[in-house]
Amino acid sequence: MGNCFGRDGTDGTDGNPNRRSPSGGGSVAGNTRGTIEQVLMFPDKAMPCKYGKTCRRGSSCSYSHDNTSLKQFLGRLAAAKKSIDVCVFTITCNEIANELQERYKHGVQVRIISDGEQSHSQGSDIHSLARAGVPVRLGRQQNSHMHHKFAVIDGTVVITGSFNWTRQAVLSNRENVLITDSPGVREPYRNEFERLWREYANNKV
C-alpha cells in the first residue's frame, strides 16, 4: 500500500490525523507548536473497504482494510470543521468526491476550483458535485490549464503535491501528498485560492 512518513521519517499511525503513533501503517509528526507535517505516497494496493474492520468477507474482500494513503487522505477531509477549499486539475475518484459532498451536507463550507476542459472528461465528478450544491468555478484559459493540485482545510491545513484526485493516481501512479499547517506554506495557498476564486467569478458551474 502507499506509505506515510512524518517529520522523523518513522512509519506508523494510530489513525488519528493529528497524532503520531509508534505502530501501524502511516505517520504524522508534530512539534511543540502543533505543526503538522505528513507525507503520503501512492500508489495504494487497493481502494479502501467501506465497511472497514466490520467487513464480513475477510480475505475474499478485494478492497483494503489497511490504513492506506487514500484512507488517511480521506481522513483529513473528514476532519474539516468549517471549510474545505479545493483547487485541483480534476476529480474522478468517487471516494474523494463522496467525502467532499458528505462534508458539505454536514455544514462544512466546500468550494471547488477546477479545470474547465477536464470537468467534461470521462468520469469527472465536478458537475455532480455542483448539482449537489457545492460551489464550483472553472478555469477556462485558452492554451493552458488550471493545473493546481491543492486544498486548504479550515484555513490552516494545506494538502498539496503531485497527486491528481483520480482513481488512476490512487492505484497506479507514483504520486506524493504533503500535508502541513506551516504558516509560511499555507498563506500562499490561501491567497492563490482566493485570487483564482475571484478571477473565475464568471465561470460558475
PDB file of all heavy atoms in Angstrom, residues 54-74:
ATOM      1  N   THR A  54     -15.407  -3.989  10.085  1.00  0.00           N
ATOM      2  CA  THR A  54     -16.661  -4.735  10.230  1.00  0.00           C
ATOM      3  C   THR A  54     -16.982  -5.572   8.992  1.00  0.00           C
ATOM      4  O   THR A  54     -18.002  -6.252   8.957  1.00  0.00           O
ATOM      5  CB  THR A  54     -17.839  -3.769  10.490  1.00  0.00           C
ATOM      6  OG1 THR A  54     -18.025  -2.922   9.341  1.00  0.00           O
ATOM      7  CG2 THR A  54     -17.566  -2.913  11.718  1.00  0.00           C
ATOM      8  N   CYS A  55     -16.112  -5.521   7.974  1.00  0.00           N
ATOM      9  CA  CYS A  55     -16.329  -6.299   6.748  1.00  0.00           C
ATOM     10  C   CYS A  55     -16.380  -7.780   7.070  1.00  0.00           C
ATOM     11  O   CYS A  55     -15.515  -8.319   7.770  1.00  0.00           O
ATOM     12  CB  CYS A  55     -15.211  -6.013   5.750  1.00  0.00           C
ATOM     13  SG  CYS A  55     -15.357  -6.945   4.214  1.00  0.00           S
ATOM     14  N   ARG A  56     -17.378  -8.464   6.535  1.00  0.00           N
ATOM     15  CA  ARG A  56     -17.565  -9.889   6.801  1.00  0.00           C
ATOM     16  C   ARG A  56     -16.969 -10.790   5.729  1.00  0.00           C
ATOM     17  O   ARG A  56     -17.034 -12.016   5.844  1.00  0.00           O
ATOM     18  CB  ARG A  56     -19.061 -10.185   6.943  1.00  0.00           C
ATOM     19  CG  ARG A  56     -19.724  -9.458   8.121  1.00  0.00           C
ATOM     20  CD  ARG A  56     -21.193  -9.804   8.218  1.00  0.00           C
ATOM     21  NE  ARG A  56     -21.831  -9.122   9.346  1.00  0.00           N
ATOM     22  CZ  ARG A  56     -23.125  -9.253   9.663  1.00  0.00           C
ATOM     23  NH1 ARG A  56     -23.910 -10.028   8.919  1.00  0.00           N
ATOM     24  NH2 ARG A  56     -23.618  -8.604  10.691  1.00  0.00           N
ATOM     25  N   ARG A  57     -16.401 -10.197   4.690  1.00  0.00           N
ATOM     26  CA  ARG A  57     -15.875 -11.010   3.596  1.00  0.00           C
ATOM     27  C   ARG A  57     -14.470 -11.525   3.869  1.00  0.00           C
ATOM     28  O   ARG A  57     -13.981 -12.417   3.180  1.00  0.00           O
ATOM     29  CB  ARG A  57     -15.888 -10.202   2.299  1.00  0.00           C
ATOM     30  CG  ARG A  57     -17.279  -9.788   1.851  1.00  0.00           C
ATOM     31  CD  ARG A  57     -17.231  -9.028   0.548  1.00  0.00           C
ATOM     32  NE  ARG A  57     -16.751  -9.872  -0.543  1.00  0.00           N
ATOM     33  CZ  ARG A  57     -16.488  -9.430  -1.765  1.00  0.00           C
ATOM     34  NH1 ARG A  57     -16.648  -8.142  -2.047  1.00  0.00           N
ATOM     35  NH2 ARG A  57     -16.065 -10.250  -2.697  1.00  0.00           N
ATOM     36  N   GLY A  58     -13.823 -10.938   4.865  1.00  0.00           N
ATOM     37  CA  GLY A  58     -12.496 -11.406   5.239  1.00  0.00           C
ATOM     38  C   GLY A  58     -11.506 -11.340   4.103  1.00  0.00           C
ATOM     39  O   GLY A  58     -11.435 -10.362   3.349  1.00  0.00           O
ATOM     40  N   SER A  59     -10.736 -12.416   3.933  1.00  0.00           N
ATOM     41  CA  SER A  59      -9.685 -12.445   2.922  1.00  0.00           C
ATOM     42  C   SER A  59     -10.226 -12.449   1.500  1.00  0.00           C
ATOM     43  O   SER A  59      -9.481 -12.209   0.549  1.00  0.00           O
ATOM     44  CB  SER A  59      -8.796 -13.676   3.130  1.00  0.00           C
ATOM     45  OG  SER A  59      -9.572 -14.867   3.049  1.00  0.00           O
ATOM     46  N   SER A  60     -11.516 -12.723   1.334  1.00  0.00           N
ATOM     47  CA  SER A  60     -12.106 -12.725  -0.003  1.00  0.00           C
ATOM     48  C   SER A  60     -12.464 -11.315  -0.485  1.00  0.00           C
ATOM     49  O   SER A  60     -12.800 -11.125  -1.655  1.00  0.00           O
ATOM     50  CB  SER A  60     -13.360 -13.601  -0.033  1.00  0.00           C
ATOM     51  OG  SER A  60     -14.376 -13.060   0.796  1.00  0.00           O
ATOM     52  N   CYS A  61     -12.379 -10.322   0.404  1.00  0.00           N
ATOM     53  CA  CYS A  61     -12.685  -8.937   0.028  1.00  0.00           C
ATOM     54  C   CYS A  61     -11.537  -8.384  -0.808  1.00  0.00           C
ATOM     55  O   CYS A  61     -10.358  -8.486  -0.419  1.00  0.00           O
ATOM     56  CB  CYS A  61     -12.898  -8.076   1.269  1.00  0.00           C
ATOM     57  SG  CYS A  61     -13.329  -6.358   0.904  1.00  0.00           S
ATOM     58  N   SER A  62     -11.864  -7.819  -1.942  1.00  0.00           N
ATOM     59  CA  SER A  62     -10.835  -7.294  -2.841  1.00  0.00           C
ATOM     60  C   SER A  62     -10.389  -5.883  -2.467  1.00  0.00           C
ATOM     61  O   SER A  62      -9.478  -5.343  -3.091  1.00  0.00           O
ATOM     62  CB  SER A  62     -11.347  -7.311  -4.285  1.00  0.00           C
ATOM     63  OG  SER A  62     -12.498  -6.486  -4.412  1.00  0.00           O
ATOM     64  N   TYR A  63     -11.037  -5.287  -1.468  1.00  0.00           N
ATOM     65  CA  TYR A  63     -10.678  -3.945  -1.025  1.00  0.00           C
ATOM     66  C   TYR A  63      -9.709  -4.007   0.154  1.00  0.00           C
ATOM     67  O   TYR A  63      -9.549  -5.055   0.791  1.00  0.00           O
ATOM     68  CB  TYR A  63     -11.928  -3.148  -0.646  1.00  0.00           C
ATOM     69  CG  TYR A  63     -12.836  -2.875  -1.812  1.00  0.00           C
ATOM     70  CD1 TYR A  63     -13.869  -3.755  -2.143  1.00  0.00           C
ATOM     71  CD2 TYR A  63     -12.672  -1.745  -2.603  1.00  0.00           C
ATOM     72  CE1 TYR A  63     -14.700  -3.510  -3.236  1.00  0.00           C
ATOM     73  CE2 TYR A  63     -13.496  -1.493  -3.690  1.00  0.00           C
ATOM     74  CZ  TYR A  63     -14.506  -2.383  -3.994  1.00  0.00           C
ATOM     75  OH  TYR A  63     -15.319  -2.139  -5.070  1.00  0.00           O
ATOM     76  N   SER A  64      -9.075  -2.888   0.448  1.00  0.00           N
ATOM     77  CA  SER A  64      -8.081  -2.856   1.511  1.00  0.00           C
ATOM     78  C   SER A  64      -8.714  -2.547   2.865  1.00  0.00           C
ATOM     79  O   SER A  64      -9.614  -1.710   2.968  1.00  0.00           O
ATOM     80  CB  SER A  64      -7.017  -1.799   1.202  1.00  0.00           C
ATOM     81  OG  SER A  64      -6.098  -1.702   2.273  1.00  0.00           O
ATOM     82  N   HIS A  65      -8.217  -3.230   3.891  1.00  0.00           N
ATOM     83  CA  HIS A  65      -8.630  -2.954   5.262  1.00  0.00           C
ATOM     84  C   HIS A  65      -7.504  -2.307   6.059  1.00  0.00           C
ATOM     85  O   HIS A  65      -7.590  -2.174   7.271  1.00  0.00           O
ATOM     86  CB  HIS A  65      -9.099  -4.252   5.933  1.00  0.00           C
ATOM     87  CG  HIS A  65     -10.228  -4.914   5.218  1.00  0.00           C
ATOM     88  ND1 HIS A  65     -10.046  -5.873   4.253  1.00  0.00           N
ATOM     89  CD2 HIS A  65     -11.573  -4.706   5.289  1.00  0.00           C
ATOM     90  CE1 HIS A  65     -11.220  -6.258   3.776  1.00  0.00           C
ATOM     91  NE2 HIS A  65     -12.160  -5.571   4.380  1.00  0.00           N
ATOM     92  N   ASP A  66      -6.446  -1.912   5.347  1.00  0.00           N
ATOM     93  CA  ASP A  66      -5.298  -1.265   5.985  1.00  0.00           C
ATOM     94  C   ASP A  66      -5.486   0.247   6.010  1.00  0.00           C
ATOM     95  O   ASP A  66      -6.390   0.794   5.368  1.00  0.00           O
ATOM     96  CB  ASP A  66      -4.009  -1.599   5.226  1.00  0.00           C
ATOM     97  CG  ASP A  66      -3.686  -3.086   5.280  1.00  0.00           C
ATOM     98  OD1 ASP A  66      -3.947  -3.706   6.330  1.00  0.00           O
ATOM     99  OD2 ASP A  66      -3.190  -3.626   4.266  1.00  0.00           O
ATOM    100  N   ASN A  67      -4.609   0.921   6.727  1.00  0.00           N
ATOM    101  CA  ASN A  67      -4.640   2.383   6.821  1.00  0.00           C
ATOM    102  C   ASN A  67      -3.876   2.968   5.641  1.00  0.00           C
ATOM    103  O   ASN A  67      -2.786   3.518   5.785  1.00  0.00           O
ATOM    104  CB  ASN A  67      -4.053   2.846   8.151  1.00  0.00           C
ATOM    105  CG  ASN A  67      -4.381   4.293   8.451  1.00  0.00           C
ATOM    106  OD1 ASN A  67      -5.429   4.802   8.035  1.00  0.00           O
ATOM    107  ND2 ASN A  67      -3.509   4.961   9.172  1.00  0.00           N
ATOM    108  N   THR A  68      -4.444   2.833   4.445  1.00  0.00           N
ATOM    109  CA  THR A  68      -3.772   3.225   3.211  1.00  0.00           C
ATOM    110  C   THR A  68      -3.597   4.739   3.118  1.00  0.00           C
ATOM    111  O   THR A  68      -4.193   5.501   3.885  1.00  0.00           O
ATOM    112  CB  THR A  68      -4.568   2.748   1.994  1.00  0.00           C
ATOM    113  OG1 THR A  68      -5.852   3.403   2.005  1.00  0.00           O
ATOM    114  CG2 THR A  68      -4.768   1.235   2.012  1.00  0.00           C
ATOM    115  N   SER A  69      -2.826   5.145   2.120  1.00  0.00           N
ATOM    116  CA  SER A  69      -2.637   6.587   1.915  1.00  0.00           C
ATOM    117  C   SER A  69      -3.961   7.274   1.588  1.00  0.00           C
ATOM    118  O   SER A  69      -4.237   8.366   2.088  1.00  0.00           O
ATOM    119  CB  SER A  69      -1.623   6.829   0.792  1.00  0.00           C
ATOM    120  OG  SER A  69      -0.322   6.493   1.214  1.00  0.00           O
ATOM    121  N   LEU A  70      -4.802   6.635   0.764  1.00  0.00           N
ATOM    122  CA  LEU A  70      -6.091   7.251   0.447  1.00  0.00           C
ATOM    123  C   LEU A  70      -6.964   7.346   1.686  1.00  0.00           C
ATOM    124  O   LEU A  70      -7.642   8.362   1.896  1.00  0.00           O
ATOM    125  CB  LEU A  70      -6.827   6.470  -0.643  1.00  0.00           C
ATOM    126  CG  LEU A  70      -8.196   7.051  -1.011  1.00  0.00           C
ATOM    127  CD1 LEU A  70      -8.071   8.482  -1.539  1.00  0.00           C
ATOM    128  CD2 LEU A  70      -8.916   6.174  -2.024  1.00  0.00           C
ATOM    129  N   LYS A  71      -6.951   6.320   2.520  1.00  0.00           N
ATOM    130  CA  LYS A  71      -7.754   6.369   3.738  1.00  0.00           C
ATOM    131  C   LYS A  71      -7.321   7.536   4.627  1.00  0.00           C
ATOM    132  O   LYS A  71      -8.156   8.235   5.200  1.00  0.00           O
ATOM    133  CB  LYS A  71      -7.636   5.046   4.504  1.00  0.00           C
ATOM    134  CG  LYS A  71      -8.546   4.972   5.725  1.00  0.00           C
ATOM    135  CD  LYS A  71      -8.506   3.606   6.380  1.00  0.00           C
ATOM    136  CE  LYS A  71      -9.426   3.554   7.587  1.00  0.00           C
ATOM    137  NZ  LYS A  71      -9.393   2.231   8.260  1.00  0.00           N
ATOM    138  N   GLN A  72      -6.019   7.759   4.731  1.00  0.00           N
ATOM    139  CA  GLN A  72      -5.531   8.877   5.530  1.00  0.00           C
ATOM    140  C   GLN A  72      -5.872  10.216   4.876  1.00  0.00           C
ATOM    141  O   GLN A  72      -6.195  11.188   5.568  1.00  0.00           O
ATOM    142  CB  GLN A  72      -4.024   8.739   5.737  1.00  0.00           C
ATOM    143  CG  GLN A  72      -3.658   7.523   6.577  1.00  0.00           C
ATOM    144  CD  GLN A  72      -2.167   7.334   6.698  1.00  0.00           C
ATOM    145  OE1 GLN A  72      -1.494   8.151   7.339  1.00  0.00           O
ATOM    146  NE2 GLN A  72      -1.645   6.287   6.111  1.00  0.00           N
ATOM    147  N   PHE A  73      -5.791  10.253   3.554  1.00  0.00           N
ATOM    148  CA  PHE A  73      -6.176  11.449   2.800  1.00  0.00           C
ATOM    149  C   PHE A  73      -7.645  11.781   3.061  1.00  0.00           C
ATOM    150  O   PHE A  73      -8.001  12.927   3.357  1.00  0.00           O
ATOM    151  CB  PHE A  73      -5.935  11.184   1.311  1.00  0.00           C
ATOM    152  CG  PHE A  73      -6.210  12.351   0.407  1.00  0.00           C
ATOM    153  CD1 PHE A  73      -5.185  13.190   0.006  1.00  0.00           C
ATOM    154  CD2 PHE A  73      -7.486  12.592  -0.073  1.00  0.00           C
ATOM    155  CE1 PHE A  73      -5.439  14.264  -0.848  1.00  0.00           C
ATOM    156  CE2 PHE A  73      -7.745  13.650  -0.927  1.00  0.00           C
ATOM    157  CZ  PHE A  73      -6.717  14.492  -1.312  1.00  0.00           C
ATOM    158  N   LEU A  74      -8.509  10.780   2.967  1.00  0.00           N
ATOM    159  CA  LEU A  74      -9.933  10.989   3.225  1.00  0.00           C
ATOM    160  C   LEU A  74     -10.177  11.408   4.666  1.00  0.00           C
ATOM    161  O   LEU A  74     -11.078  12.212   4.951  1.00  0.00           O
ATOM    162  CB  LEU A  74     -10.717   9.705   2.914  1.00  0.00           C
ATOM    163  CG  LEU A  74     -10.737   9.267   1.448  1.00  0.00           C
ATOM    164  CD1 LEU A  74     -11.376   7.887   1.322  1.00  0.00           C
ATOM    165  CD2 LEU A  74     -11.493  10.277   0.590  1.00  0.00           C
TER     166      LEU A  74
END
